[in-house]
Amino acid sequence: MPVHRRAAPAVRRPPVRRSPRRPLTAVLLAAAVALVPACSTESTTADAAGDKVLAALPKAVPEALAPFYGQRPAWRTCEGVGKEEFECARLKAPLDYDNPTAGTLDLALSRKKATGPGSRLGSLLVNPGGPGGSAIGYLQSYAALGYPAPVRARYDMVAVDPRGVADSEPVTCLDGPAMDAHTATDTTPDTPAERQALVSAFQKYGKGCQADAGKTLGHVSTVESARDLDLARSALGDEKLTYVGASYGTFLGATYAGLYPHRVGRLVLDGAMDPTLDARRLNLEQTAGFDTAFTAFAKDCAQRKDCPLGAGDPQDAGRNLTAFFDKLDAAPLPAGQGRALTESLAAMGVVAALYDEGGWPQLRTALTSAVKNRDGNALLALSDIYYERDADGGYQNLMSANAAVNCLDLPPAFATPEEVEAALPEFRKASPVFGEGFAWASLNCAQWPTPATSGPHRIEANGAAPIVVVGTTRDPATPYRWARGLASQLDSATLLTYDGDGHTAFGRGSDCIDTAINTYLLEGTPPDDNTRC
């Protein structure tokens, strides 16, 4: 099914990684299907070249929003085993910032206070991407425990679940059984009937979201979530925002900088997205990115005698995987508990493991079981991790929120099946293995019940303090050129490059990257522009 952007088509990170890497769900992206972020038309202005530029909001807080900015969180110990060191609270945000009296929604916050030694530097907010990834889940499972000790000593580590996500009034489109059927839908339709089945699946999904979320569905845009971040900054008592965002979290952070350049503290945007690209271009370039990642996996696999896709010629791996997908399209593999490994589920399992080379061993094992032993359980498990499906058949709201935000942020990549068919050659060229599925998945926003609120635009954030943009040269989910694109737009950006594989760079084993970011967070000194690690 669709893929998302995070840090994480609909896809986020690999399940197996070396410490201190984040868990799979923290790094997945928003998939090819629903990938594109944008902002509301009220927030953009046209420059001389005709491009739209995100316009800064007034420095003074509007009188109508003063009650929201006057909030102070009522912190309490978070509930749950292992959460005794964390505090939780809630904030009220206007449903519609342009009409603050039209209703409110609740935002969930969590923090782990600075441990010392050293003077406290303020709050460090984190977001793992998605859209749809729980920032609180990321904080409590990784960031507040795995970020460098000197950073955790000096900052209160804080997370806010974006509106529509996890504990912040989550959007839920389908129940467990319906989601099982949805994720198994054929995304490489071969007949008119299969094409109609895919369109119907997208329609059902959108209607389910609308029935669940109501008016909230039209107010989960990235611009609105960025404005929520400013409410949180104020409630925390910080004059400026210090923030680390991964994948889609870079778009959220860059949007904040564009709206509030005067309130930018130290911003790290890791695995960056380029807001000037439309949905079709984003999805096509992400398709190519995953092809690059698969090629790297295939070269590594082909050197091993037990490679399930064939040893020797790496190009054979792609042809063999495509042939395996074709067999699943005709006859899915049994996978226990009444489930089956379909072509679409197998493809998502492979894509999930390609987010990080640390997932390659698990992918080889899963493919060996499926290709050689006709056992689909291991590959299905990778897909389940990607979709955040638990053992009891329930789903987190990642995929629902992912579609809700993406489809509101940008117009759809394609409006009709005919448009997808016309684009198939280009997508297949970008990736012979994944291109067709990614192209068809990109049709999902065409059936969305709430129209997009904007389109591609530049983010310049003129006058902002130095911002560090991080790009990985062979990042599958957020191609390196996106980091270069964002860094070229932001007035005060410094580009930090990691020459390597995988999605995002901070905390993934590069002393050069980690030292540069830690120095920036602790001392305020960014690395030299175009530093390469």
Side-chain angles (χ1 to χ4, degrees):
M1 238 27 218
V3 195
H4 32 269
R5 0 171 244 273
R6 304 193 208 189
V11 202
R12 303 194 192 209
R13 250 152 340 236
V16 177
R17 55 186 60 251
R18 300 184 296 275
S19 176
R21 295 183 181 179
R22 284 114 31 221
L24 172 64
T25 53
V27 191
L28 298 178
L29 184 64
V33 134
L35 179 70
V36 198
C39 59
S40 70
T41 52
E42 293 77 14
S43 299
T44 59
T45 58
D47 66 13
D51 293 333
K52 290 184 176 180
V53 180
L54 186 66
L57 293 170
K59 292 183 179 181
V61 174
E63 184 177 348
L65 295 177
F68 295 99
Y69 274 86
Q71 298 176 87
R72 291 296 176 263
W75 294 105
R76 66 190 187 284
T77 301
C78 297
E79 298 178 358
V81 177
K83 298 181 181 181
E84 296 81 7
E85 295 181 287
F86 293 92
E87 295 177 306
C88 288
R90 303 194 77 82
L91 288 178
K92 291 287 186 183
L95 177 67
D96 182 352
Y97 276 92
D98 293 330
N99 185 11
T101 63
T104 63
L105 49 75
D106 286 339
L107 300 176
L109 293 78
S110 183
R111 75 176 177 185
K112 187 175 186 293
K113 299 183 77 171
T115 58
S119 59
R120 178 181 174 276
L121 292 174
S123 304
L124 172 57
L125 278 75
V126 296
N127 184 283
S134 171
I136 291 177
Y138 175 69
L139 173 79
Q140 295 179 349
S141 67
Y142 172 72
L145 308 171
Y147 269 37
V151 173
R152 292 182 282 119
R154 306 285 300 280
Y155 284 101
D156 292 344
M157 300 291 294
V158 181
V160 181
D161 276 344
R163 51 177 62 203
V165 174
D167 289 332
S168 292
E169 302 204 10
V171 175
T172 301
C173 302
L174 301 174
D175 62 16
M179 273 297 293
D180 280 348
H182 182 74
T183 58
T185 302
D186 188 353
T187 52
T188 57
D190 303 309
T191 66
E194 289 181 349
R195 287 192 288 274
Q196 184 54 51
L198 180 60
V199 170
S200 296
F202 289 146
Q203 290 173 333
K204 181 179 179 180
Y205 198 81
K207 289 178 180 178
C209 294
Q210 187 173 44
D212 176 75
K215 293 181 179 178
T216 301
L217 194 64
H219 292 284
V220 293
S221 71
T222 299
V223 162
E224 289 162 312
S225 289
R227 299 189 73 171
D228 293 341
L229 281 181
D230 200 53
L231 286 184
R233 174 206 57 79
S234 175
L236 292 165
D238 294 329
E239 291 186 6
K240 295 189 175 183
L241 179 75
T242 298
Y243 172 91
V244 176
S247 196
Y248 163 80
T250 67
F251 179 63
L252 178 60
T255 299
Y256 180 92
L259 296 174
Y260 306 102
H262 52 288
R263 295 180 191 151
V264 168
R266 300 169 188 177
L267 264 59
V268 177
L269 308 179
D270 182 16
M273 300 193 65
D274 184 346
T276 66
L277 303 180
D278 62 26
R280 185 180 184 280
R281 184 76 182 188
L282 281 168
N283 290 332
L284 182 63
E285 293 190 4
Q286 192 180 62
T287 300
F290 276 100
D291 193 71
T292 297
F294 177 74
T295 298
F297 164 77
K299 288 181 179 177
D300 178 81
C301 188
Q303 297 173 11
R304 305 169 188 273
K305 294 181 179 179
D306 61 347
C307 178
L309 299 178
D313 185 356
Q315 293 187 356
D316 286 343
R319 289 188 286 267
N320 291 338
L321 183 59
T322 299
F324 172 64
F325 286 162
D326 289 342
K327 290 180 180 178
L328 291 178
D329 190 23
L333 279 180
Q337 299 182 334
R339 303 180 68 199
L341 179 69
T342 65
E343 178 189 14
S344 59
L345 290 170
M348 283 304 99
V350 173
V351 165
L354 292 177
Y355 269 88
D356 186 316
E357 70 272 23
W360 293 357
Q362 187 171 352
L363 179 57
R364 287 196 305 272
T365 299
L367 285 171
T368 296
S369 295
V371 174
K372 295 187 175 182
N373 303 327
R374 306 296 294 167
D375 180 353
N377 277 287
L379 201 51
L380 184 61
L382 285 174
S383 177
D384 285 349
I385 292 172
Y386 165 76
Y387 285 120
E388 293 195 350
R389 182 190 191 275
D390 61 37
D392 296 325
Y395 288 77
Q396 301 298 313
N397 94 304
L398 163 64
M399 300 306 300
S400 297
N402 182 261
V405 176
N406 284 330
C407 294
L408 191 61
D409 271 354
L410 276 190
F414 302 109
T416 66
E418 289 73 22
E419 289 184 5
V420 177
E421 290 176 340
L424 284 177
E426 191 173 15
F427 274 77
R428 288 182 180 127
K429 181 179 180 180
S431 176
V433 178
F434 304 114
E436 184 174 351
F438 276 28
W440 281 107
S442 304
L443 186 63
N444 76 322
C445 288
Q447 307 300 324
W448 203 250
T450 303
T453 53
S454 186
H457 58 280
R458 291 175 58 82
I459 299 178
E460 296 178 349
N462 292 317
I467 297 170
V468 175
V469 175
V470 188
T472 298
T473 56
R474 293 181 295 280
D475 189 319
T478 52
Y480 178 62
R481 64 175 64 88
W482 294 1
R484 287 186 294 159
L486 179 61
S488 71
Q489 297 165 48
L490 290 169
D491 178 57
S492 61
T494 289
L495 178 61
L496 176 62
T497 298
Y498 172 53
D499 188 356
D501 296 291
H503 184 39
T504 74
F506 185 40
R508 296 187 60 246
S510 168
D511 289 339
C512 174
I513 291 290
D514 293 353
T515 298
I517 293 176
N518 293 341
T519 299
Y520 170 65
L521 290 174
L522 294 171
E523 301 176 11
T525 304
D528 292 337
D529 193 23
N530 292 315
T531 295
R532 198 174 187 92
C533 296

